């Protein structure tokens, strides 16, 4: 049976050419970029080239890119780094109710240490209201962090507008762009952000490597201390193979982006329309158009998300319910609850995230298989019986 992977928002396979490009840096070109002899300089040249490629993908300058161990470290560094660097100015952070755990938990860490955080509510589509941002800013606010697109429901926030409000108030702005970098056109100057997080494994690079864009002049207290790499902003010997992989993944994503956005948007909309047509009591979560080209998230009433996932898996189809981190726990997704869904609607949610190797036939297969699974589960469902 052909396996159909539709969980690209959780992670993506590294592209074969990315893996090939990384391999020499484990063996013959293994040097430490800080060494001044030729081995080291070869490695340094590879890191420099990757930095240029990553900068080009987001319209940044090379010196504004700091390599990290992934999206989580980029988020932690941005929040803790800016909070500590601005402690004398204030102790207030603004964020949204639907952030990734890497941002939520970092805010909680800071809240236990004297900071306060405002968690902005979102509307039923998952959108932050710019007026709420304006109203939440106080004389103590030092940082606003709102994600570019949500990993569960795919809603794309009006970041340029939110960042403008922050700039006018003299507040730094960070965005977690892990779901958008390499997926949709993105320019840090057009967005007007001061900090932006990305992660290689979400766009066909390797796991365990990412980057933080830090706009020139943004004060940031380093998180990792040691040898002073990355212009003292992130110590530790560079993950050269990982950085090379991130760089090539960024370059390929940039070159192929327009075509992929068009292709995936078509597949996404076909899947959404097909699910609505073939299954009763299905609602789309997130926004119809302000949405990642690869994200489909629906609530199927009177069915458990986990049961649908397991039954889809038996058919060779990989999808998810909530985010990868929250599946396996019984807590409904904080994102869906923030959008106003009832607990049972949140529990009946399914996310299909499409990607490079998703084809029309895969969409058809899901549409052929899922209606039967839903009918079968509903026939056994105590949720449905109690409604009758
Ligand atoms: C995956 C993800 C992260 C975490 O990135 P890692 O590289 O896996 O640490 C952070 N934010 C969002 C929105 C994500 O989707």
């Amino acid at each position: 049976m052909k396996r159909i992977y539709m969980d690209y928002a959780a992670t993506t396979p590294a592209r074969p050419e990315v893996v090939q490009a990384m391999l020499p840096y484990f063996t013959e070109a293994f040097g430490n970029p800080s060494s001044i002899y030729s081995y080291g300089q070869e490695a340094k040249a590879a890191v420099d080239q990757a930095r240029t490629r990553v900068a080009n993908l987001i319209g940044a300058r090379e010196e504004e890119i700091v390599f990290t161990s992934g999206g989580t470290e980029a988020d932690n560094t941005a929040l803790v780094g800016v909070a500590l660097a601005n402690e004398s100015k204030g102790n207030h952070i603004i964020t949204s109710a639907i952030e990734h755990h890497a941002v939520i938990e970092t805010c909680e860490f800071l809240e236990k240490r004297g900071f306060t955080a405002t968690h902005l509510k979102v509307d039923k589509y998952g959108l932050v209201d710019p007026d709420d941002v304006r109203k939440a800013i106080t004389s103590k606010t030092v940082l606003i962090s709102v994600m570019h697109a949500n990993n569960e429901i795919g809603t794309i926030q009006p970041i340029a507008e939110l960042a403008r409000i922050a700039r006018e108030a003299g507040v730094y702005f960070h965005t977690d762009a892990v779901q958008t970098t390499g997926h949709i056109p993105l320019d840090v100057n057009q967005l007007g952000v001061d900090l932006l997080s990305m992660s290689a494994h979400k766009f066909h690079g390797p796991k365990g490597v990412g980057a933080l864009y830090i706009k020139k002049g943004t004060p940031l207290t380093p998180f990792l201390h040691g040898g002073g790499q990355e212009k003292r902003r992130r110590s530790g010997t560079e993950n050269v193979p990982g950085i090379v992989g991130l760089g090539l993944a960024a370059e390929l994503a940039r070159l192929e982006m327009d075509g992929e956005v068009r292709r995936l948007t078509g597949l996404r909309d076909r899947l959404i329309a097909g699910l609505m047509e073939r299954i009763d009591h299905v609602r789309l979560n997130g926004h119809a158009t302000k949405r990642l080209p690869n994200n489909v998230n629906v609530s199927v009433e009177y069915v458990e998300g986990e049961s649908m996932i397991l039954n889809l898996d038996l058919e060779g189809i990989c999808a998810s319910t909530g985010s990868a981190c929250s599946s396996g726990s019984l807590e409904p997704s904080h994102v869906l609850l923030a959008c106003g869904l009832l607990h049972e609607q949140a529990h009946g949610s399914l996310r299909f995230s499409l990607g490079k190797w998703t084809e029309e036939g895969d969409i058809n297969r899901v549409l052929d298989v899922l209606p039967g699974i839903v009918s079968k589960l509903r026939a056994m469902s105590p949720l449905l019986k109690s409604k009758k």
Side-chain angles (χ1 to χ4, degrees):
M1 182 169 53
K2 185 195 170 201
R3 280 214 295 179
I4 297 177
Y5 184 75
M6 286 206 193
D7 203 14
Y8 284 84
T11 193
T12 64
R15 296 173 65 143
E17 55 271 58
V18 164
V19 176
Q20 281 306 316
M22 292 170 65
L23 289 177
Y25 296 94
F26 288 105
T27 51
E28 63 266 28
F30 64 88
N32 185 323
S34 298
S35 306
I36 56 172
Y37 43 75
S38 60
Y39 272 123
Q41 291 312 297
E42 258 169 57
K44 181 172 185 308
V47 170
D48 288 345
Q49 183 193 41
R51 202 183 305 279
T52 302
R53 289 173 157 177
V54 169
N56 285 343
L57 178 64
I58 62 168
R61 297 185 243 184
E62 278 93 346
E63 63 270 25
E64 295 174 317
I65 302 297
V66 172
F67 292 117
T68 66
S69 66
T72 300
E73 187 191 320
D75 285 343
N76 275 256
T77 305
L79 269 69
V80 176
V82 171
L84 294 186
N86 290 282
E87 243 173 335
S88 61
K89 287 197 205 148
N91 63 349
H92 180 229
I93 297 169
I94 299 171
T95 183
S96 85
I98 62 166
E99 296 297 310
H100 189 273
H101 287 287
V103 167
I104 296 180
E105 303 274 324
T106 306
C107 285
E108 280 173 17
F109 170 84
L110 288 166
E111 284 178 276
K112 284 184 194 136
R113 283 159 186 80
F115 285 83
T116 58
T118 301
H119 301 269
L120 300 169
K121 61 179 175 31
V122 294
D123 69 11
K124 62 180 173 177
Y125 305 112
L127 284 166
V128 169
D129 183 344
D131 273 336
D132 289 345
V133 175
R134 214 172 268 121
K135 286 179 203 145
I137 296 175
T138 73
S139 60
K140 295 277 178 219
T141 310
V142 291
L143 177 68
I144 301 173
S145 179
V146 176
M147 70 201 314
H148 192 193
N150 183 269
N151 45 303
E152 293 185 39
I153 56 175
T155 301
I156 301 173
Q157 301 293 341
I159 294 299
E161 197 178 347
L162 305 183
R164 188 173 344 106
I165 295 167
R167 194 160 58 248
E168 284 165 9
V171 173
Y172 294 105
F173 193 96
H174 166 252
T175 190
D176 174 338
V178 172
Q179 289 291 333
T180 51
T181 307
H183 291 272
I184 60 174
L186 182 171
D187 182 293
V188 287
N189 299 303
Q190 277 168 20
L191 289 179
V193 298
D194 301 298
L195 306 112
L196 176 144
S197 304
M198 71 175 79
S199 173
H201 78 98
K202 300 291 175 77
F203 58 99
H204 301 292
K207 292 175 182 56
V209 60
L212 178 63
Y213 157 79
I214 308 172
K215 187 182 177 165
K216 191 165 185 273
T218 308
L220 185 119
T221 301
F223 197 54
L224 291 180
H225 306 274
Q229 288 88 348
E230 297 293 282
K231 298 198 197 308
R232 309 204 66 82
R233 293 168 299 187
R234 200 275 187 183
S235 286
T237 301
E238 297 85 344
N239 169 8
V240 179
I243 290 169
V244 166
L246 166 60
L248 183 56
E251 180 71 4
L252 295 171
R254 188 173 65 82
L255 296 173
E256 296 170 8
M257 186 167 303
D258 292 347
E260 276 299 274
V261 166
R262 230 173 298 121
R263 190 181 74 86
L264 290 170
T265 304
L267 292 177
R268 176 196 75 185
D269 291 343
R270 253 182 51 85
L271 180 54
I272 293 173
L275 293 172
M276 300 288 192
E277 198 179 288
R278 295 184 191 202
I279 307 173
D280 293 334
H281 306 292
V282 170
R283 53 164 282 170
L284 180 67
N285 295 316
H287 196 279
T289 53
K290 292 171 186 168
R291 184 177 199 97
L292 287 171
N294 70 333
N295 174 288
V296 174
N297 187 314
V298 291
S299 284
V300 184
E301 297 213 39
Y302 319 124
V303 201
E304 286 285 335
E306 284 79 9
S307 314
M308 288 187 280
I309 298 299
L310 294 175
N311 279 274
L312 283 168
D313 188 35
L314 294 176
E315 300 287 342
I317 299 166
C318 309
S320 84
T321 175
S323 68
C325 325
S326 59
S327 49
S329 82
L330 286 173
E331 276 297 295
S333 144
H334 67 286
V335 175
L336 296 174
L337 295 182
C339 295
L341 268 69
L342 302 170
H343 274 235
E344 55 266 33
Q345 292 171 319
H347 273 308
S349 78
L350 265 187
R351 179 187 71 185
F352 298 98
S353 43
L354 321 180
K356 187 118 228 105
W357 287 287
T358 308
E359 298 169 348
E360 179 118 25
D362 302 336
I363 303 293
N364 294 338
R365 176 121 175 85
V366 171
L367 291 174
D368 283 344
V369 163
L370 189 59
I373 291 175
V374 171
S375 313
K376 186 183 87 179
L377 292 171
R378 278 183 179 159
M380 314 186 305
S381 167
L383 295 173
L384 184 56
K385 288 206 187 87
S386 67
K387 296 271 172 182
K388 274 183 174 167

